[in-house]
Amino acid sequence: MIKLKVKMVERAFGKKVIPNIKVVGVDTASRTGWAILSTTKTYVKIDYGFTDTRGQEEQFRYLMIIDLFNNLFKNKYTKIVIEDVFFGRNVNTLKLLARLGMIVYVVGFFHNIKNMKFIGASRARANLGIKGNVKKRIVHQKLKELLNWKLK
């Protein structure tokens, strides 16, 4: 878990932190990742993880994602943000990502989480003041700089 002071986060991003929220961000893929951001008046806490479903049979992969998010969403969340999909070169990748994203949405619905949205990676980056079409490694570097992290 990462624990940051609200004032430092506000200074780094030039945005006010909303206190007392608990948000889950989900990046669906063969290696589906999530981050949980919770705030108080003083701190922003970030917890995160991923599950690797590569090589699994299709139905088993879906059941793994259902089980994962069913357990994760037992905690009450203010909002769920799911990375939206786009069509690149492979229609099968698009289908997989769309299905996984909808599984997360439906599981959230059944946990009575009313505030859910899909957002594209470019829009998410732009919301942080990072050019929308840069590679992930550039996003990581920019976040390290903004938050003054010494991560490897």
Side-chain angles (χ1 to χ4, degrees):
M1 172 167 318
I2 299 168
K3 188 173 176 181
L4 306 166
K5 291 194 176 201
V6 164
K7 294 207 181 292
M8 189 273 291
V9 173
E10 289 176 338
R11 198 170 37 253
F13 294 104
K15 298 176 187 260
K16 291 300 249 176
V17 171
I18 301 168
N20 304 314
I21 61 167
K22 199 169 182 183
V23 178
V24 179
V26 181
D27 179 359
T28 57
S30 294
R31 291 182 60 179
T32 293
W34 68 92
I36 300 166
L37 184 123
S38 58
T39 65
T40 65
K41 290 181 180 181
T42 312
Y43 291 102
V44 174
K45 296 177 188 170
I46 304 168
D47 201 2
Y48 55 90
F50 76 93
T51 189
D52 192 342
T53 64
R54 291 178 295 184
Q56 300 297 328
E57 187 270 327
E58 188 176 44
Q59 298 294 18
F60 186 71
R61 172 183 281 183
Y62 299 149
L63 291 173
M64 285 176 68
I65 297 297
I66 290 168
D67 188 52
L68 168 71
F69 287 101
N70 190 47
N71 287 321
L72 189 66
F73 294 164
K74 286 178 181 173
N75 298 310
K76 293 298 176 199
Y77 293 98
T78 310
K79 183 177 195 174
I80 299 172
V81 179
I82 306 163
E83 184 179 12
D84 206 356
V85 299
F86 66 94
F87 179 64
R89 291 181 286 249
N90 187 333
V91 72
N92 289 324
T93 299
L94 175 68
K95 288 174 15 184
L96 171 67
L97 296 178
R99 289 172 182 163
L100 294 177
M102 208 58 222
I103 287 170
V104 174
Y105 188 94
V106 169
V107 172
F109 175 83
F110 283 117
H111 278 273
N112 207 29
I113 301 169
K114 300 294 185 206
N115 191 354
M116 293 186 281
K117 69 188 256 183
F118 289 90
I119 184 170
S122 293
R123 170 58 37 211
R125 291 174 181 144
N127 287 345
L128 294 173
I130 300 170
K131 189 175 174 185
N133 61 351
V134 298
K135 300 287 184 197
K136 282 185 183 181
R137 65 179 174 76
I138 303 297
V139 174
H140 296 165
Q141 184 60 38
K142 181 71 172 168
L143 287 175
K144 283 171 41 177
E145 290 169 11
L146 284 169
L147 297 171
N148 197 28
W149 284 347
K150 307 292 185 225
L151 301 175
K152 294 182 180 178

